């Protein structure tokens, strides 16, 4: 005769994974047990408990609300992007119509101020352009080696920086500017070897890390070709 322990069927331990696997393997479980499911209640942090059906409906309503919020944000962002790209196309046409380099820089400055910014500036790496004396635009030159420590600290491996600058950094890039609260810096050139496009704002919170840089990307790619109309590349 078998031992009594051998006659007792082993108890199957249930855990979350076991229950989940069973439900996945038996998708008609809730249909076959519809009446029982309607009577099931689950804990609720506010109501104490609620029916499984009501709990599921609540989850679906929450998910729908989240999707609606995400769609609204996407539509708002699309509208903003459309407006910005419209302005960029307008700017490209305006800059292309410039009669001189100074005229082009003035047009860029006016465009930036039309957006409520303090200004827009271009600094060119002297190693990449022929802008030494007797050029009239030596004031645009900045040594790439002098900029390197700032690039490492502020930009790292990215082509953009949005935020504030300290005194020495402002003196290097914007020596004539006053009351600069925050800036958007964008490197120009495939490897960032041609210079820096700078938009400045008096508001310290205007440019912050994490903001979009799509428009900056396009402008930084567009400007070198326009600059070559008046300045020779090395």
């Amino acid at each position: 005769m078998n031992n009594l322990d051998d006659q007792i069927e082993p108890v199957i331990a249930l855990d979350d994974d076991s229950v989940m696997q069973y439900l996945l393997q038996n998708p008609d479980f809730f249909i076959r047990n519809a009446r029982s499911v309607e009577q099931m209640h689950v804990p609720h942090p506010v109501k104490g408990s609620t029916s499984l059906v009501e709990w599921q409906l609540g989850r679906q309503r929450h998910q729908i609300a989240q999707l609606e919020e995400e769609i609204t944000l996407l539509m708002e962002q699309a509208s903003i992007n459309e407006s910005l790209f419209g302005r960029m196309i307008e700017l490209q046409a305006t800059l292309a119509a410039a009669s001189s380099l100074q005229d082009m820089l003035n047009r860029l400055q006016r465009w930036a101020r039309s957006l409520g910014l303090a200004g827009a500036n271009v600094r060119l790496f002297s190693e990449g352009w022929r802008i030494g004396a007797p050029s009239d635009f030596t004031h645009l030159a900045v040594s790439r080696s002098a900029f390197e420590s700032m690039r490492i600290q502020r930009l790292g491996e990215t082509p953009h920086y949005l935020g504030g600058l300290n005194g020495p950094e402002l003196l290097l890039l914007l020596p004539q500017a006053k009351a600069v609260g925050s800036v958007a810096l964008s490197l120009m050139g495939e490897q960032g070897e041609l210079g820096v496009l700078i938009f400045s704002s008096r508001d310290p919170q205007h440019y912050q890390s994490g903001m979009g840089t799509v428009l900056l990307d396009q402008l930084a790619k567009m400007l070198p070709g326009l600059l070559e109309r008046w300045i020779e590349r090395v």
Side-chain angles (χ1 to χ4, degrees):
M1 183 174 178
N2 292 334
N3 187 288
L4 183 61
D5 291 338
D6 295 333
Q7 299 179 31
I8 300 176
E9 295 184 1
V11 177
I12 301 175
L14 292 178
D15 55 21
D16 289 357
D17 289 338
S18 301
V19 174
M20 184 62 66
Q21 288 298 321
Y22 176 82
L23 293 176
L24 290 174
Q25 294 170 7
N26 296 268
D28 60 342
F29 171 83
F30 290 105
I31 296 176
R32 290 187 285 105
N33 298 275
R35 180 168 297 181
S36 297
V37 169
E38 291 176 356
Q39 298 172 355
M40 292 176 64
H41 285 72
V42 296
H44 191 279
V46 177
K47 299 179 181 179
S49 66
T50 183
S51 71
L52 184 62
V53 174
E54 184 181 354
W55 177 76
Q56 181 64 20
L57 289 173
R59 279 176 55 85
Q60 291 175 347
R61 284 193 294 267
H62 179 67
Q63 290 171 348
I64 291 171
Q66 282 186 316
L67 288 173
E68 290 176 342
E69 183 177 348
E70 291 174 3
I71 291 171
T72 300
L73 290 174
L74 286 173
M75 292 178 65
E76 290 175 353
Q77 189 61 49
S79 177
I80 293 172
N81 287 341
E82 182 180 4
S83 175
L84 289 175
F85 275 104
R87 285 179 174 269
M88 192 194 73
I89 293 172
E90 177 186 347
L91 172 64
Q92 186 173 12
T94 298
L95 297 182
S99 59
S100 67
L101 177 55
Q102 187 59 57
D103 184 28
M104 190 188 83
L105 296 176
N106 290 341
R107 289 169 182 244
L108 178 63
Q109 186 79 266
R110 287 195 295 270
W111 182 80
R113 288 177 177 171
S114 73
L115 298 178
L117 300 174
N121 294 268
V122 173
R123 299 304 303 273
L124 305 177
F125 293 141
S126 53
E127 297 86 347
W129 303 85
R130 300 189 188 280
I131 50 177
S135 167
D136 294 332
F137 298 99
T138 55
H139 62 283
L140 298 179
V142 63
S143 170
R144 189 176 183 183
S145 59
F147 178 76
E148 184 62 12
S149 61
M150 181 177 171
R151 183 197 66 77
I152 294 172
Q153 181 178 355
R154 296 296 190 182
L155 288 86
E157 298 301 318
T158 67
H160 308 289
Y161 168 72
L162 297 96
L165 296 179
N166 59 36
E169 291 168 339
L170 287 172
L171 188 61
L172 176 67
L173 293 181
L174 300 170
Q176 306 301 322
K178 297 179 180 179
V180 175
S182 58
V183 300
L185 306 180
S186 295
L187 293 177
M188 296 186 293
E190 292 295 328
Q191 304 298 323
E193 76 282 5
L194 297 181
V196 190
L197 171 63
I198 311 159
F199 289 99
S200 58
S201 171
R202 294 182 178 85
D203 181 2
Q205 304 302 318
H206 185 86
Y207 288 116
Q208 301 181 46
S209 175
M211 296 176 65
T213 59
V214 176
L215 184 61
L216 292 173
D217 269 323
Q218 298 302 315
L219 292 175
K221 291 176 181 177
M222 175 183 72
L223 278 175
L226 295 173
L227 289 167
E228 288 180 15
R229 295 171 62 190
W230 295 285
I231 307 177
E232 185 182 357
R233 292 270 299 273
V234 172

